[in-house]
Amino acid sequence: MATNWAERISAFSRSPTRFLSGTTAEAFLAELLRELRDDRASYSVKVLLLSPLCEHPTLLCPSDSVGEETTLELMSVFAQCPPKFVGFRCHLLLALTSVLICTSCASGRSRASQDFLDLLLQIIQDPSDLHSDGSLRSLCATACDCLRELEACCPGLLSQRIELLGGLRQQETSRLHQPYAALQTLVLRNAVFQLTQEKGAGAEHLKALLGGITSVAWEADQDSGLMNNKDSAVLSSLILGNMGVVPTLQTGPDCKELRSVLSSLLEESYLLTPLCQAALLHRLTEVVAMVPSIPPAIFRAQLLRLLGTSEVCLLHSTLLMKCAYTDSLFSAEDEAFILKRLVVLSQHPRLTAPEKLFYMDCILHFPENRPIDSGDESLPVLLTPQLASALAPTVLNDSATLLSRFNLLSLVHLEEGEEAEEGQGLEYLYEHLTSLLHIVENGGSREIVVTFFRAVFLFLFYFHHVERYSTGLTEQLCKLYLHHTHLAPHLINLADQTQDKLSESNWAVGLLTALQKAITSLTQLSVKDVKWHLKMLARVAEEGEIPQRNTLSFLSKVITPSFSSLCESGDWRQGNNVLGVCRRLLVHPSLDSLLIPLADILQHLARCYRDTDIQDHARLYYTLLTTLSREKLAGVMMQGTTEGGRQVKKRSLSSCMSEGEELTSLLTIHQTEKAIFRLTEAQSEPRQQSKDVDLDQDEAENCPEEANAALEVYRAQFSDPSFASEVTLKYQLAHTNGHDSRFDHLFSIRLHFGHTDNHYEKLPDISVSCLFRERPSPVVQLRLKPRQPYPTTLHATAIFTTQDGLSWHTAVPDIHIAFEQTFMPLPSPRTWGQDGKLSAFEGLWEEMCTEKGESAISLFCCQLEEAALNALVRKHFLSYLVSDPSQKEELKVLFFLPPQCHILLKIRSKEDAVHFNIATDNWQLLPHIGSYLLTITAAQEDPPS
Amino acid sequence: MTIRALWIISQEKGDNVSIRFSRRFSTVEHRAKILAGSSYVAVPEESTILQLLLTELGLSDPDKAYVAVRDDCLHRPRSPALELRVDGPEKGILWPMLVISQGPLILACLPLVDVPPEPRPPLASLLSVSQGLTLLAGLQIFLLGSGSKPDGEGLVSRLAMLPSVLLQVCPLGTPLDVPLLGPPATPTVPTVTGNQKQPAWKTGLHRGRAVVNVALTETVRSMQYGSRSRQDLWDVFGTVSCKCEVEGVLPNVMVTLSLPPNGSPLQDILVHPCVTSLDSSILTASSVDNCDSSAFSGPYKFPFSPPLEPFRLCSYTSQVPVPPILGSYQLREEENQLHVSVTLKLHESVKNSFEYCEARLPFFNRDQMSVVDVKVSYGQLDTSKEKNLLVWALGQKFPKSHEVTMEGKISFSGPTNGPSDPLCTGLTAYIKLYFKVPDMTLSGCSVDQHSVQVYSSAKPRIVTSRELISKDYFIWNSTGAAPVSSGPMMV
């Protein structure tokens, strides 16, 4: 059993949606709660059971009311759990906190959340705990954490308890003072924030708050809570540098109480773990920023200790302090010192790589006392090239460090470069690129290759205007390419991106020209290289300004048998590579001068290439080239590329042969942006299992009278597994409201369905010949085969063709199958009449009342006038009625649900209410029956006006 | 100051990548939704996270040379805070995904962005980022031990402990502490020693004989090119590690580091958070500054109250005038042979008493060595099993002349195999030195046994030690191109 749970819980956390598709959230929650209450289950398993509630409370408790009920259940589990299972009790507190916060029971101050709050406060104040052993103390620590989380999510919740919390913290000598301090600080911060939002709040209010005296002035506003205005400001950090404005509380100079609380917290901050210390300092930084009468100098005693620290979060909290207070706490000298410190930390051999990278990021966003601009990444004025030289990249750096350093140094020398282009720093960066290039040349790993190209892009991004280097780089890259042709995709990507991002520079065209020259002047070729050369030349051919004569002579060389065996080999991919170049040449602006050689090449391919497909395409291109005018040719070839251009190439197999060609758009399936049509339930007569079961009055009564015998005959029918296993639902296929005339006439529609759960067998696809907007909607039949007759949702998609011959793929809005849509009348043998059905009903009823196996009985009551009841029966139950409709004192209704479930109802009017006695052979249907009855009776209660 | 979720991923040889542990903090997610408003992006399910992370880390599709989404030159993964581009119905960018990886493990967490999400705030404005990094590093050490050696069974048992560990260190998404390494200290009896508070980072109290152990380790790195155009580089950094077994809730200990009279000041000092106060003069010297000879040069006093476990009291860097061993390495390629000539010279200021000293000469990206006709003036020469590495063991001492040489020819033939290293191709080659010298430091820094003060009733036993070790100590072949930029830059 234990392993079973471990597996199920881990399956749930891997993919909650997939897990819940096999069951329902409601059922899973019920199971979890049952197991948690089970005395036989071990506590280690129970801890496991809590994790879905901690991690996904909203999935299991979709509504506040379920959250509330679950909370009450968990609280009773807590009350009954022996105190020695501390670990479990702690986890239970976490689960409770998660459920209450996420279902917004906590922010709504629900009954259960009040109870839980009282429980937590009681735990943290329990004097018996203080003198017991340490393990119980961890319960108290967890309770503090839960309170802190509640306060964090519902700010102001504990603002009346500041004094209590302060007292607890001060008395505590064990390690528990840490959770108390964390809680107190947060509550203090939220309370002060709350005061800044109150009109007219001042020193008096602050004093009252700290003294635990609830002043009448804002007691009234308590219930409104801070979060009720749905403003996230209170949750946000207040330290935003020059972008943010901190709300302030005007208190006048006298703030003795607050000052003493702050001093006491700061004095003991040393006793906290670095992580808690950093959080505490951050919260106090916010408090002091909000109360201008407290000078930031209150932090001064801590600063040296914090600036010398090896802990990243402590130094970070100091930087945030600098950001908040600028020169009111840090002099210009301090600023220079901190920046130097950051440079040191960014390359300190004792720190880890992620820490160093973080510090480097801090340099780029250094909180200067007098910032000049607030751009994205700007260097602090004090960062001189000399200082930054400590961060020069080296080939021994890991990729991330190398690129970060490269970027930072580029920024530094960008400024320097404007004055002296011959700067040493720039020289260094260029040489560094060269060193990387040598490593790539010597067979560097994939990671180094990618890093190298990223560094090249960065260099060009900043220094493309420095010709000496950008030309040198072109030469080096060409050489590199010739030795390592497989780098073609990287070079093409580099050309694409530099062209895209550096529109003022012509570097990419220069590189491509140089590559063309290098490739076309080769005298020897290997088959492997040809593939890359062709890809490269295809990219070169996209540039209108690059003359293509050389490319053409290269192509004709490549397809000459004496030079390479390309045509002989008949390689389809290589053929497409050649065609790819040709296709781009067809739209090249200098086509006129290329006409004859290009035609020659295409003709040669059409005749000699040993692949029919390539031949066909070559012939097509040849025909287009020789018969169409320039404009038409361009029009034909450009179709399809116009939408996204080069950047969004369709990654389909067909695109590998000829992207952008008109043919492709015919071959490709397009995706519609919105749904084009939907399925709506067709209004139909009550469902029959099949037409021929129409009442055969003559042969009726040919059935056993006795209930058990009737059941036996009835059940024998199910030996055929396909018997009554399907529910057929009728839907109309109709256009949605959006008006797009392209989709007015649709043909060959094929609907494909997908399930959201495992309760039904897979549905076959459905074909509809056509759908015209002006004609009546066609009706389609969904044949659902339930495994479990639960309500469900079906996903649907469709493929269809439009009048212009294009194929489209579209999403169809989800189809919701309600519980009652799976109801069918009893599939009794066709010879039976009413009495036979009644016998079967009685037989089934008797069996179900034993509540063996999956069977269950239940009772549903509601108040209905007789007329309303009659209307209800007529409207909903008529075709399922087994008893004589004229016998009003007890109505018997039987719903059959495939594959083989039954719901039986006995409906009686008592003096106070109508009783629906329910029996079913599948207890898991009970919640669905309940909500179904609730819906239909509620609708009947308020009569239609 | 909180994290939304945490993942621990293991990868074995790139292939078998899986999420071994994950934890979502639903209450933090609840806040994330409120804070981000319309730009909220939910955390996807495990398989999606894994795929996105691997792409961003460049680890997806390891058998493909170029994948556009992974290798685009425009995109620079901003480690340690990556952005994951989530596709599908819940489209958007998850940021900042903190990732650290070591050995077989990748650890990731997603901090809450508690400032307005648009425009993207700087990383430095989120305290949760440094806290997340600290938590991840702590979990990494907890899972792998301080070494990075993958230990299958140990890892499994540690992963199983994570739920209870997280209950202590990060119960609801707010990191409180890093996991303890050893077994949890036995719960201590509440102290009745007045109102002194027990630090939260101290798990218990020591009872028994007081012992203070202070160990000073200096590490030297070097890049020597033997070339006029290129300046040789070396640097030294030191670490003071302590283990203090002292009674009391908050005992005071003071360690003093001192330098010889003409020693250059200790720079870039970082201290452990248990250090109670610092003198500003200690922090002034920095390696990125122009060296000021009049700067404060000790004694460096570190008052602190020790935690129970061993810890790194402080670390520093130092600028020393000469490298401990100066080498020259020359290779000449002739016909099928390689002429090798090496000289290593021990500086006279260095104590000639090694625990070990070894020089390694790799010859990668070549055929195997067939004939090794090489003489050494001192020590012992070995060829590695794979026949692509010479190991020159110098033992405990350099000879009286303080200089050793190697001279000879190597020829290569036979099947190519063994490691390929782009930093060691053709004449681009290096010697790497491995050595350790007990009881000395290059900076001259020392901890005198008598300078360690413990303010407690019992007289403690005090043990101090120091040593020098090498790391990344390269001597490049001066006839080839070292793959390092020239220029006035640092190591």
Side-chain angles (χ1 to χ4, degrees):
Chain A
M1 197 62 190
T3 51
N4 180 13
W5 271 114
E7 270 169 32
R8 291 189 65 195
I9 298 291
S10 90
F12 175 83
S13 79
R14 256 199 314 279
S15 175
T17 48
R18 193 178 317 151
F19 182 87
L20 289 180
S21 76
T23 171
T24 59
E26 213 173 351
F28 185 50
L29 176 65
E31 265 185 277
L32 288 176
L33 291 175
R34 196 171 48 225
E35 192 72 12
L36 281 169
R37 278 192 306 261
D38 191 339
D39 294 336
R40 288 162 300 176
S42 80
Y43 278 90
S44 61
V45 171
K46 287 188 180 185
V47 167
L48 212 57
L49 297 177
L50 290 171
S51 79
L53 283 166
C54 286
E55 295 191 68
H56 299 279
T58 42
L59 278 182
L60 297 182
C61 307
S63 69
D64 290 4
S65 60
V66 181
E68 188 82 0
E69 279 166 35
T70 309
T71 307
L72 292 174
E73 290 271 359
L74 294 176
M75 296 259 283
S76 85
V77 173
F78 185 85
Q80 280 154 26
C81 171
K84 64 175 175 175
F85 297 109
V86 182
F88 174 69
R89 282 159 63 100
C90 289
H91 278 108
L92 201 50
L93 293 183
L94 300 185
L96 276 159
T97 310
S98 306
V99 170
L100 282 172
I101 289 176
C102 295
T103 56
S104 46
C105 290
S107 56
R109 312 271 159 99
S110 74
R111 182 77 231 137
S113 75
Q114 290 295 349
D115 290 350
F116 181 57
L117 197 61
D118 291 343
L119 172 70
L120 291 176
L121 286 168
Q122 190 194 331
I123 294 175
I124 68 164
Q125 294 177 78
D126 191 353
S128 71
D129 217 23
L130 287 177
H131 300 288
S132 54
D133 69 291
S135 64
L136 273 181
R137 235 180 259 138
S138 70
L139 183 70
C140 184
T142 306
C144 280
D145 291 329
C146 293
L147 282 170
R148 187 173 37 74
E149 198 60 22
L150 283 164
E151 170 71 26
C153 294
C154 314
L157 185 71
L158 297 170
S159 56
Q160 303 297 311
R161 322 263 182 179
I162 294 184
E163 202 204 8
L164 167 80
L165 298 171
L168 286 171
R169 175 183 67 83
Q170 276 182 327
Q171 285 161 24
E172 188 58 55
T173 54
S174 78
R175 296 163 69 210
L176 258 186
H177 63 81
Q178 172 163 292
Y180 286 140
L183 178 58
Q184 186 194 357
T185 335
L186 179 64
V187 175
L188 175 67
R189 180 263 184 203
N190 285 346
V192 173
F193 183 88
Q194 197 166 12
L195 282 186
T196 65
Q197 307 297 303
E198 307 277 333
K199 270 211 184 94
E204 283 305 303
H205 299 88
L206 187 61
K207 194 169 170 181
L209 190 71
L210 295 169
I213 312 157
T214 48
S215 83
V216 191
W218 56 282
E219 172 76 344
D221 284 340
Q222 257 304 289
D223 284 337
S224 64
L226 269 184
M227 282 302 294
N228 283 6
N229 52 9
K230 282 288 164 205
D231 182 12
S232 60
V234 60
L235 296 178
S236 293
S237 161
L238 300 173
I239 316 283
L240 302 172
N242 48 357
M243 295 149 58
V245 180
V246 181
T248 51
L249 180 67
Q250 296 307 331
T251 55
D254 181 35
C255 253
K256 268 205 315 266
E257 294 80 9
L258 181 60
R259 201 184 292 241
S260 91
V261 170
L262 293 176
S263 317
S264 142
L265 282 166
L266 280 173
E267 245 165 57
E268 290 177 5
S269 64
Y270 165 79
L271 300 173
L272 308 186
T273 61
L275 283 163
C276 287
Q277 226 179 106
L280 176 118
L281 288 169
H282 185 245
R283 289 299 178 205
L284 296 186
T285 308
E286 289 181 297
V287 170
V288 173
M290 285 188 285
V291 185
S293 56
I294 307 258
I298 196 167
F299 292 102
R300 184 148 294 157
Q302 311 292 329
L303 284 184
L304 267 177
R305 177 172 80 81
L306 296 174
L307 288 171
T309 189
S310 57
E311 287 288 332
V312 60
C313 54
L314 285 180
L315 193 88
H316 191 187
S317 65
T318 320
L319 285 177
L320 287 166
M321 234 181 253
K322 174 149 191 340
C323 187
Y325 306 134
T326 62
D327 53 2
S328 52
L329 185 59
F330 296 90
S331 66
E333 214 172 78
D334 295 336
E335 179 164 75
F337 171 76
I338 293 177
L339 183 67
K340 251 186 269 167
R341 194 80 189 157
L342 278 178
V343 174
V344 163
L345 290 167
S346 301
Q347 43 98 43
H348 201 286
R350 281 270 65 125
L351 298 179
T352 64
E355 285 170 344
K356 289 189 255 193
L357 285 164
F358 172 72
Y359 284 127
M360 228 178 307
D361 197 80
C362 290
I363 295 178
L364 288 176
H365 299 103
F366 186 70
E368 290 179 290
N369 284 352
R370 306 235 176 279
I372 292 173
D373 68 328
S374 54
D376 174 31
E377 283 189 346
S378 57
L379 289 177
V381 178
L382 292 170
L383 187 70
T384 58
Q386 195 263 333
L387 190 57
S389 68
L391 296 176
T394 82
V395 291
L396 299 177
N397 293 143
D398 63 280
S399 299
T401 307
L402 190 151
L403 290 172
S404 274
R405 288 181 167 207
F406 199 93
N407 181 51
L408 188 123
L409 273 250
S410 298
L411 282 168
V412 169
H413 295 302
L414 190 61
E415 287 170 8
E416 172 206 36
E418 275 156 21
E419 290 141 31
E421 283 202 351
E422 308 296 307
Q424 259 193 332
L426 194 50
E427 177 73 31
Y428 179 89
L429 288 176
Y430 184 70
E431 274 198 38
H432 180 67
L433 274 189
T434 314
S435 311
L436 280 178
L437 185 126
H438 287 313
I439 297 175
V440 172
E441 240 171 5
N442 290 337
S445 65
R446 193 189 79 208
E447 191 190 353
I448 293 183
V449 171
V450 173
T451 307
F452 167 67
F453 280 98
R454 285 178 177 156
V456 171
F457 178 81
L458 277 178
F459 187 83
L460 289 168
F461 183 77
Y462 293 115
F463 305 115
H464 60 88
H465 56 274
V466 187
E467 219 153 90
R468 189 154 60 92
Y469 296 122
S470 56
T471 332
L473 205 52
T474 308
E475 280 166 29
Q476 300 220 52
L477 287 173
C478 276
K479 256 189 247 158
L480 178 68
Y481 171 72
L482 290 181
H483 289 130
H484 299 278
T485 49
H486 68 274
L487 296 179
H490 292 277
L491 283 160
I492 293 174
N493 173 245
L494 180 69
D496 289 350
Q497 297 295 13
T498 43
Q499 197 165 43
D500 205 41
K501 295 287 172 296
L502 308 171
S503 46
E504 72 277 26
S505 153
N506 216 19
W507 185 83
V509 172
L511 173 72
L512 291 171
T513 314
L515 283 166
Q516 184 200 34
K517 189 171 164 217
I519 293 169
T520 53
S521 44
L522 286 172
T523 49
Q524 273 189 330
L525 290 176
S526 79
V527 183
K528 192 177 83 213
D529 291 345
V530 168
K531 166 177 137 194
W532 297 119
H533 293 332
L534 290 171
K535 287 215 190 283
M536 206 49 134
L537 290 176
R539 175 66 185 86
V540 174
E542 283 175 18
E543 295 306 321
E545 3 171 351
I546 304 182
Q548 300 294 329
R549 283 237 152 242
N550 292 340
T551 299
L552 274 177
S553 36
F554 179 81
L555 283 186
S556 52
K557 219 163 39 173
V558 167
I559 56 173
T560 314
S562 60
F563 193 75
S564 85
S565 57
L566 194 67
C567 279
E568 306 290 287
S569 75
D571 185 322
W572 184 78
R573 283 176 187 273
Q574 290 282 41
N576 273 309
N577 288 335
V578 177
L579 285 174
V581 184
C582 295
R583 198 173 47 70
R584 285 171 178 85
L585 291 176
L586 285 177
V587 291
H588 198 271
S590 66
L591 180 64
D592 288 340
S593 65
L594 307 173
L595 204 73
I596 293 165
L598 182 57
D600 285 347
I601 290 167
L602 288 171
Q603 205 173 25
H604 184 83
L605 285 176
R607 266 208 328 263
C608 307
Y609 204 90
R610 289 231 182 145
D611 182 284
T612 326
D613 188 43
I614 302 299
Q615 285 188 358
D616 285 351
H617 272 86
R619 200 167 297 123
L620 173 68
Y621 288 164
Y622 179 78
T623 319
L624 293 174
L625 176 68
T626 50
T627 51
L628 291 187
S629 70
R630 278 294 307 272
E631 291 71 32
K632 277 196 180 161
L633 183 60
V636 170
M637 301 307 290
M638 292 307 275
Q639 239 181 36
T641 49
T642 44
E643 279 184 15
R646 183 165 35 72
Q647 295 303 321
V648 267
K649 285 178 186 157
K650 295 230 167 70
R651 307 252 163 245
S652 63
L653 234 194
S654 48
S655 75
C656 116
M657 52 184 214
S658 40
E659 320 104 359
E661 183 181 344
E662 189 193 19
L663 286 172
T664 331
S665 84
L666 288 175
L667 293 173
T668 314
I669 294 186
H670 304 268
Q671 179 73 41
T672 65
E673 275 175 19
K674 291 183 207 145
I676 303 301
F677 42 75
R678 66 163 136 243
L679 287 166
T680 44
E681 201 187 350
Q683 293 302 320
S684 61
E685 68 283 6
R687 278 175 300 284
Q688 304 287 337
Q689 43 172 327
S690 68
K691 285 227 168 77
D692 52 4
V693 192
D694 271 340
L695 293 175
D696 261 328
Q697 290 293 356
D698 302 340
E699 287 184 63
E701 309 310 322
N702 184 10
C703 70
E705 283 284 315
E706 201 262 319
N708 282 335
L711 268 188
E712 218 166 282
V713 174
Y714 166 66
R715 287 206 169 121
Q717 303 177 98
F718 288 94
S719 57
D720 173 8
S722 65
F723 177 75
S725 60
E726 281 183 357
V727 190
T728 305
L729 302 178
K730 288 187 181 165
Y731 281 86
Q732 278 182 320
L733 184 67
H735 275 94
T736 51
N737 293 332
H739 207 94
D740 188 337
S741 55
R742 278 183 300 170
F743 300 120
D744 281 349
H745 299 123
L746 311 177
F747 302 92
S748 307
I749 301 154
R750 195 161 176 88
L751 293 160
H752 177 78
F753 300 92
H755 290 288
T756 50
D757 50 43
N758 287 333
H759 303 322
Y760 289 82
E761 302 281 348
K762 208 173 146 27
L763 270 175
D765 287 357
I766 294 179
S767 293
V768 178
S769 58
C770 61
L771 173 64
F772 290 3
R773 199 183 280 278
E774 65 276 9
R775 288 202 209 154
S777 321
V779 172
V780 296
Q781 294 195 331
L782 301 190
R783 294 176 182 280
L784 285 171
K785 204 165 177 183
R787 291 179 190 140
Q788 299 285 352
Y790 296 151
T792 187
T793 298
L794 299 175
H795 293 319
T797 57
I799 293 179
F800 59 85
T801 312
T802 43
Q803 252 173 333
D804 52 6
L806 296 182
S807 299
W808 293 83
H809 179 259
T810 185
V812 180
D814 285 351
I815 303 154
H816 301 285
I817 309 287
F819 182 53
E820 59 271 25
Q821 283 181 281
T822 57
F823 293 175
M824 285 170 48
L826 184 74
S828 54
R830 44 188 303 181
T831 53
W832 283 17
Q834 205 64 20
D835 287 347
K837 291 184 182 174
L838 202 56
S839 308
F841 181 95
E842 297 300 345
L844 284 168
W845 186 273
E846 206 166 299
E847 273 184 23
M848 291 170 187
C849 285
T850 59
E851 295 208 70
K852 274 185 193 147
E854 302 277 278
S855 298
I857 53 170
S858 181
L859 175 67
F860 176 86
C861 297
C862 69
Q863 286 187 327
L864 280 182
E865 299 295 325
E866 195 181 335
L869 179 62
N870 286 341
L872 181 98
V873 171
R874 262 200 313 281
K875 189 167 170 199
H876 298 285
F877 296 156
L878 201 57
S879 49
Y880 311 105
L881 210 55
V882 183
S883 61
D884 188 343
S886 58
Q887 283 197 334
K888 298 276 180 194
E889 64 273 22
E890 187 175 73
L891 293 166
K892 292 175 181 167
V893 176
L894 192 157
F895 301 122
F896 171 78
L897 302 93
Q900 213 176 324
C901 301
H902 302 82
I903 299 171
L904 278 54
L905 301 180
K906 286 186 182 174
I907 307 167
R908 275 169 200 269
S909 280
K910 296 279 173 80
E911 59 270 29
D912 55 337
V914 180
H915 287 211
F916 291 74
N917 279 294
I918 308 166
T920 177
D921 43 13
N922 183 348
W923 63 268
Q924 287 170 324
L925 297 178
L926 283 177
H928 301 303
I929 302 167
S931 56
Y932 169 64
L933 289 177
L934 204 60
T935 321
I936 58 168
T937 52
Q940 215 62 45
E941 272 166 26
D942 14 276
S945 52
Chain B
M1 283 169 290
T2 42
I3 57 174
R4 292 163 64 183
L6 170 77
W7 297 269
I8 292 167
I9 297 160
S10 74
Q11 48 161 357
E12 287 138 25
K13 302 260 178 274
D15 293 332
N16 199 355
V17 188
S18 62
I19 294 191
R20 301 287 289 269
F21 179 85
S22 78
R23 171 57 57 87
R24 283 151 192 265
F25 299 102
S26 56
T27 55
V28 184
E29 199 60 27
H30 177 77
R31 265 183 279 164
K33 214 179 285 181
I34 298 171
L35 279 163
S38 57
S39 53
Y40 171 72
V41 180
V43 179
E45 293 190 349
E46 281 189 5
S47 55
T48 316
I49 285 283
L50 185 61
Q51 187 50 44
L52 292 172
L53 260 180
L54 292 180
T55 303
E56 195 63 13
L57 290 171
L59 298 173
S60 60
D61 299 310
D63 46 345
K64 289 191 188 146
Y66 180 83
V67 177
V69 287
R70 184 191 65 193
D71 299 330
D72 192 339
C73 70
L74 177 66
H75 181 60
R76 177 160 61 93
R78 307 287 177 99
S79 178
L82 306 178
E83 55 175 50
L84 302 189
R85 282 158 286 180
V86 183
D87 236 349
E90 306 235 11
K91 221 171 169 158
I93 290 179
L94 276 186
W95 179 87
M97 183 67 103
L98 302 181
V99 179
I100 64 175
S101 65
Q102 188 188 3
L105 284 191
I106 301 172
L107 291 88
C109 72
L110 181 66
L112 175 72
V113 175
D114 63 353
V115 300
E118 305 288 343
R120 161 139 349 147
L123 214 49
S125 67
L126 305 171
L127 183 61
S128 49
V129 169
S130 59
Q131 292 198 310
L133 285 177
T134 306
L135 178 70
L136 291 184
L139 287 172
Q140 176 176 281
I141 294 172
F142 172 77
L143 292 169
L144 289 176
S146 40
S148 65
K149 284 213 181 109
D151 166 14
E153 279 174 32
L155 184 60
V156 170
S157 73
R158 293 225 170 83
L159 280 168
M161 285 161 73
L162 274 187
S164 59
V165 166
L166 283 183
L167 179 66
Q168 304 297 323
V169 303
C170 189
L172 287 159
T174 306
L176 306 172
D177 199 358
V178 291
L180 271 180
L181 287 186
T186 43
T188 51
V189 189
T191 42
V192 272
T193 53
N195 46 10
Q196 210 169 29
K197 294 194 177 189
Q198 184 178 347
W201 36 262
K202 195 159 178 172
T203 47
L205 300 180
H206 174 73
R207 295 245 186 279
R209 173 100 203 258
V211 182
V212 173
N213 199 320
V214 185
L216 175 53
T217 306
E218 272 189 7
T219 308
V220 58
R221 302 186 292 185
S222 183
M223 284 279 177
Q224 298 176 22
Y225 306 108
S227 137
R228 256 180 219 167
S229 62
R230 255 175 215 182
Q231 211 181 324
D232 289 350
L233 303 170
W234 60 93
D235 68 5
V236 173
F237 58 91
T239 304
V240 180
S241 308
C242 292
K243 170 136 182 65
C244 302
E245 295 169 325
V246 186
E247 288 193 341
V249 180
L250 205 57
N252 283 313
V253 181
M254 170 117 84
V255 166
T256 308
L257 302 184
S258 42
L259 290 173
N262 54 354
S264 71
L266 301 182
Q267 302 170 329
D268 306 344
I269 291 177
L270 298 183
V271 300
H272 190 270
C274 75
V275 173
T276 44
S277 65
L278 268 183
D279 196 279
S280 64
S281 53
I282 285 182
L283 296 180
T284 46
S286 134
S287 61
V288 299
D289 240 347
N290 287 325
C291 215
D292 181 3
S293 55
S294 68
F296 177 78
S297 62
Y300 300 86
K301 289 185 187 303
F302 298 99
F304 61 96
S305 181
L308 285 184
E309 62 279 359
F311 65 102
R312 195 181 279 162
L313 176 66
C314 71
S315 52
Y316 60 83
T317 67
S318 172
Q319 289 184 353
V320 294
V322 284
I325 296 176
L326 191 63
S328 95
Y329 183 26
Q330 283 174 326
L331 291 175
R332 266 178 303 120
E333 201 132 36
E334 264 173 33
E335 288 152 20
N336 261 332
Q337 287 189 322
L338 207 54
H339 285 253
V340 185
S341 161
V342 181
T343 313
L344 299 177
K345 195 165 187 224
L346 180 69
H347 193 267
E348 57 204 3
S349 67
V350 179
K351 201 165 128 192
N352 189 3
S353 165
F354 290 79
E355 191 175 313
Y356 57 84
C357 180
E358 192 177 278
R360 295 191 176 185
L361 291 74
F363 298 98
F364 295 155
N365 306 308
R366 285 174 184 273
D367 298 340
Q368 288 184 339
M369 295 187 278
S370 53
V371 183
V372 179
D373 177 18
V374 175
K375 296 270 176 306
V376 291
S377 70
Y378 190 80
Q380 208 178 349
L381 193 66
D382 269 319
T383 312
S384 73
K385 211 167 61 206
E386 293 79 19
K387 303 233 181 239
N388 49 31
L389 178 71
L390 286 182
V391 180
W392 183 10
L394 290 158
Q396 273 69 48
K397 253 179 170 353
F398 271 63
K400 265 207 180 119
S401 61
H402 280 202
E403 189 172 303
V404 293
T405 56
M406 172 194 276
E407 200 81 45
K409 296 172 196 165
I410 307 171
S411 46
F412 298 86
S413 65
T416 318
N417 54 12
S420 62
D421 174 3
L423 290 181
C424 183
T425 323
L427 289 180
T428 299
Y430 56 82
I431 300 176
K432 205 168 171 187
L433 287 183
Y434 298 83
F435 57 84
K436 180 167 173 180
V437 191
D439 198 26
M440 89 151 266
T441 53
L442 274 185
S443 65
C445 182
S446 63
V447 184
D448 183 6
Q449 204 173 338
H450 304 290
S451 74
V452 178
Q453 295 169 29
V454 179
Y455 304 95
S456 81
S457 47
K459 189 162 169 52
R461 191 161 72 91
I462 292 166
V463 185
T464 62
S465 64
R466 55 182 189 163
E467 65 184 15
L468 172 71
I469 55 173
S470 72
K471 185 193 173 199
D472 295 341
Y473 204 102
F474 289 93
I475 296 159
W476 292 92
N477 169 30
S478 57
T479 65
V484 185
S485 327
S486 63
M489 303 295 176
M490 291 289 300
V491 175

